[in-house]
């Protein structure tokens, strides 16, 4: 905010320029805009100071004009040739322009608070807002350059108040200091998966997947986290009991996350981005000798989080509406995670294939948003690391077949080769015994026959 003194009409033009900052070279002017202060001050529409919606004597929106609403109303009546406004009933009724205005009618269906001023001033302000005066607003002005005077160089949002010093000091200015983001933490517990696509075949020909889950919040891609691997899932089921912890800065009024980072590695200063709070969950198939295979994902808006299914049988791809411009869509059942604080259930993951969506799996999770104070009172570590609490995560109860086959040959023979080819091995052993018996018989038969002839 700038506060300047001037003499009208000698210094009537206010010129505002926007520059491009350079470290090594001279700053370059982007564009400028000029405001005629005399024109605003003498305007009959009161454009020197906009009319607010409420008359407040305290709080963030304190009345800042030098004249009170009743004084402004007298000036407007004198300018329009009306009789001076007449107040009655202790200021709860004003006769202006041949019409009676009451405070009850003016404030019907309005919420009153402790910052409001006297009733006669509130009623006078209500009348002023019906007289065509300039309301309080932020104006958008176009920037122009002298090199290209007819081409817009951008927009500038601002407002200007003009106060004559002869009427005394104005009210306190607006506090336009940017809001400070509050620190929040999103905790995601991945419990289980179900019906995940089986993307590979084992050495014995069985369809399987080595499942793990990855998650992050857009804007904080460097904080991607993933679970451990559930090896050799034969039915698409995975067990994890794994916690993701995503700290983020959040503006509750704007409902946006604040992310500050350098756009390029050569950038000297960080750039601030404001993006909606979202969570992306992906299901992957782990590969040791090649790139991991992507199976599917789900994207959840924390302000409009899809309400999960309580059981996996009711979790389907129809829970996430497919947005198309040419077809009406059924609204999904959503709720704000910031209001509910916690959600638990099953969410569907899908993958786009040939222009249509295919269910890639179901993931059971617990989502929880806590502020900085709650996080200190109820700590929780990543994964299953300490402090492993709120809640405590035990090791998942995985089947015996869940292991990496080439790291344990004994288990591989027991749970993979023997379980699948058990009867083949038994048959081969029986056949080998029979062949051995026949070979012994054939070997000893000539000896027996020769003894008999002798």
């Amino acid at each position: 905010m700038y506060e300047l003194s001037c003499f009208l009409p000698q210094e009537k033009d206010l010129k505002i320029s926007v520059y491009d900052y350079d470290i090594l070279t001279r700053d370059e002017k982007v564009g400028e805009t000029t405001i005629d202060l005399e024109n605003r001050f003498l305007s009959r529409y009161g454009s020197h100071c906009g009319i607010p919606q409420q008359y407040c004597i305290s709080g963030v929106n304190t009345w800042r004009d030098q004249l009170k609403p009743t004084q402004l109303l007298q000036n407007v009546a004198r300018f329009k040739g009306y009789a001076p406004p007449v107040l009655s009933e202790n200021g709860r009724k004003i006769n202006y322009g041949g019409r009676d205005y009451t405070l009850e009618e003016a404030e019907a269906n309005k919420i009153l608070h402790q910052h409001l001023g006297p009733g006669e001033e509130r009623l006078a302000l209500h009348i002023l807002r019906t007289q065509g005066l300039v309301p309080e607003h932020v104006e958008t002005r176009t920037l122009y350059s002298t090199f290209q005077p007819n081409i817009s160089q951008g927009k500038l949002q601002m407002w200007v108040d003009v106060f004559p010093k002869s009427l005394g000091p104005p009210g306190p200015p607006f506090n336009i200091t940017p809001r400070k983001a509050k620190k929040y933490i999103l905790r995601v517990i991945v419990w289980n998966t179900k019906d995940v696509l089986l993307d590979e075949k084992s050495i014995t020909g069985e369809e399987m997947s080595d499942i793990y889950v990855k998650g992050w919040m857009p804007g904080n891609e460097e904080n991607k986290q993933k679970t451990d691997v559930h090896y050799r899932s034969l039915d698409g089921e995975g067990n994890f009991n794994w916690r993701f912890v995503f700290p983020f800065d959040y503006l509750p009024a704007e409902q946006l996350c604040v992310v500050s980072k350098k756009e390029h590695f050569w950038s000297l200063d960080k750039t601030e981005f404001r993006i909606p709070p979202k969570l992306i969950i992906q299901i992957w198939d782990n590969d040791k000798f090649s790139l991991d295979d992507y199976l599917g994902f789900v994207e959840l808006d924390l302000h409009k989080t899809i309400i999960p299914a309580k059981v996996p049988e009711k979790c389907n791809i129809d829970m996430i509406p497919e947005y198309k411009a040419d077809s009406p869509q059924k609204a999904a059942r959503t709720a704000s995670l910031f209001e509910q604080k916690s959600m638990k259930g099953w969410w569907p993951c899908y993958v786009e294939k040939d222009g249509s969506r295919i269910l890639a799996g179901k993931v059971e999770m617990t989502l929880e948003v806590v502020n900085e104070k709650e996080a200190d009172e109820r700590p929780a570590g990543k994964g299953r690391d300490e402090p492993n609490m709120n809640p405590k995560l035990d090791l998942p109860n995985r089947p015996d077949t869940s292991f990496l086959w080439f790291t344990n040959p004994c288990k591989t023979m027991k749970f993979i080769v023997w379980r699948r080819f058990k009867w083949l091995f038994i048959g081969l052993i029986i056949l080998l015994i029979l062949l051995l018996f026949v070979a012994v018989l054939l070997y000893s038969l000539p000896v027996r026959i020769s003894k008999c002839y002798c």
Side-chain angles (χ1 to χ4, degrees):
M1 187 196 74
Y2 295 96
E3 189 170 324
L4 307 173
S5 298
C6 65
F7 293 91
L8 298 180
Q10 292 90 338
E11 302 167 325
K12 68 181 186 64
D13 290 333
L14 174 64
K15 184 179 292 186
I16 302 174
S17 302
V18 177
Y19 284 82
D20 175 40
Y21 174 74
D22 289 321
I23 298 178
L24 302 178
T25 61
R26 184 180 178 182
D27 297 345
E28 183 179 355
K29 182 189 289 187
V30 176
E32 63 183 16
T33 182
T34 303
I35 300 173
D36 190 334
L37 299 179
E38 182 184 19
N39 188 7
R40 294 203 172 193
F41 181 68
L42 299 178
S43 172
R44 64 175 181 173
Y45 298 105
S47 56
H48 67 283
C49 183
I51 300 296
Q53 295 183 2
Q54 294 181 325
Y55 178 74
C56 299
I57 57 176
S58 62
V60 296
N61 195 24
T62 304
W63 182 266
R64 65 184 188 279
D65 201 323
Q66 294 158 306
L67 300 179
K68 294 182 179 181
T70 51
Q71 296 172 311
L72 292 175
L73 187 61
Q74 292 179 358
N75 293 341
V76 173
R78 184 167 54 252
F79 179 81
K80 292 187 175 183
Y82 295 163
V86 179
L87 282 71
S88 59
E89 299 181 7
N90 294 326
R92 305 186 67 84
K93 181 178 180 181
I94 297 179
N95 181 274
Y96 171 80
R99 178 184 170 185
D100 291 332
Y101 296 87
T102 61
L103 186 61
E104 288 75 12
E105 295 176 355
E107 295 182 344
N109 301 323
K110 289 185 178 180
I111 300 176
L112 305 181
H113 51 82
Q114 71 273 18
H115 301 294
L116 294 176
E120 64 271 14
E121 302 295 346
R122 295 172 1 226
L123 182 56
L125 177 59
H126 170 74
I127 301 173
L128 285 172
R129 292 183 59 83
T130 65
Q131 301 304 304
L133 301 180
V134 175
E136 187 178 70
H137 69 289
V138 177
E139 58 182 297
T140 302
R141 300 189 63 84
T142 305
L143 299 174
Y144 292 100
S145 173
T146 55
F147 298 103
Q148 296 174 316
N150 297 324
I151 300 178
S152 171
Q153 303 298 318
K155 304 290 183 181
L156 178 66
Q157 289 187 317
M158 52 167 290
W159 80 86
V160 177
D161 292 333
V162 182
F163 301 109
K165 288 189 174 182
S166 59
L167 297 179
F174 273 117
N175 182 10
I176 58 174
T177 304
R179 293 187 180 95
K180 291 185 179 180
K182 298 182 179 179
K183 293 188 179 296
Y184 282 79
I185 295 177
L186 172 63
R187 295 173 178 173
V188 181
I189 301 178
V190 181
W191 299 103
N192 304 291
T193 61
K194 201 173 183 64
D195 299 336
V196 175
L197 294 177
L198 303 179
D199 190 62
E200 294 182 345
K201 286 191 176 182
S202 65
I203 58 176
T204 59
E206 296 173 305
E207 290 188 343
M208 51 160 280
S209 282
D210 298 331
I211 304 171
Y212 70 90
V213 180
K214 183 188 295 185
W216 73 92
M217 294 185 68
N220 291 296
E221 285 77 7
E222 64 278 359
N223 191 26
K224 288 183 179 180
Q225 300 176 35
K226 62 181 182 180
T227 65
D228 58 350
V229 182
H230 182 115
Y231 290 104
R232 288 187 46 78
S233 175
L234 304 177
D235 56 359
E237 182 176 348
N239 313 113
F240 299 98
N241 296 357
W242 195 273
R243 182 187 288 110
F244 297 150
V245 179
F246 302 110
F248 63 97
D249 296 328
Y250 178 70
L251 293 169
E254 288 85 350
Q255 296 185 349
L256 294 173
C257 291
V258 178
V259 179
S260 298
K261 59 183 178 180
K262 294 183 178 180
E263 292 189 82
H264 311 285
F265 70 90
W266 61 81
S267 301
L268 297 178
D269 299 319
K270 291 183 178 181
T271 303
E272 183 178 286
F273 302 92
R274 297 189 178 188
I275 56 179
K278 293 183 179 181
L279 171 67
I280 296 178
I281 295 294
Q282 293 181 343
I283 301 178
W284 287 76
D285 173 67
N286 180 73
D287 287 323
K288 285 296 182 182
F289 305 107
S290 62
L291 296 177
D292 295 350
D293 298 321
Y294 166 75
L295 299 180
F297 86 107
V298 62
E299 182 177 303
L300 301 175
D301 188 337
L302 302 189
H303 279 294
K304 298 179 181 178
T305 308
I306 297 171
I307 297 179
K310 298 300 182 183
V311 292
E313 290 75 17
K314 294 184 179 180
C315 178
N316 54 64
I317 202 170
D318 295 332
M319 294 171 56
I320 304 177
E322 186 176 5
Y323 295 103
K324 291 184 178 179
D326 56 349
S327 62
Q329 298 296 326
K330 182 180 178 181
R333 296 175 60 244
T334 61
S336 173
L337 187 60
F338 290 92
E339 295 178 358
Q340 291 204 357
K341 296 296 185 181
S342 179
M343 290 184 184
K344 182 180 180 180
W346 293 84
W347 281 271
C349 295
Y350 65 92
V351 63
E352 299 282 349
K353 189 174 182 181
D354 299 329
S356 61
R357 301 187 307 176
I358 298 176
L359 182 65
K362 307 169 185 178
V363 57
E364 183 186 17
M365 299 185 294
T366 296
L367 307 183
E368 183 183 20
V369 171
V370 295
N371 56 35
E372 193 173 16
K373 181 180 178 182
E374 293 171 339
D376 293 337
E377 295 174 350
R378 300 170 51 247
K382 293 182 181 180
R384 292 185 287 271
D385 297 339
E386 295 298 332
N388 187 2
M389 57 180 67
N390 300 309
K392 181 181 179 181
L393 302 180
D394 298 323
L395 290 173
N397 184 21
R398 292 172 179 167
D400 295 334
T401 56
S402 178
F403 62 92
L404 191 57
W405 66 270
F406 63 81
T407 61
N408 199 325
C410 295
K411 277 191 172 183
T412 302
M413 291 298 299
K414 178 180 179 181
F415 293 107
I416 299 179
V417 179
W418 174 253
R419 180 172 294 183
R420 184 166 177 81
F421 299 106
K422 173 175 61 176
W423 296 111
L424 178 61
F425 285 150
I426 294 176
L428 289 175
I429 292 173
I430 294 174
L431 180 62
L432 184 62
I433 293 174
L434 290 175
L435 291 175
L436 184 62
F437 177 78
V438 171
V440 172
L441 179 64
L442 293 177
Y443 177 78
S444 60
L445 185 61
V447 177
R448 296 282 185 180
I449 294 175
S450 62
K451 287 184 177 181
C452 291
Y453 281 108
C454 292

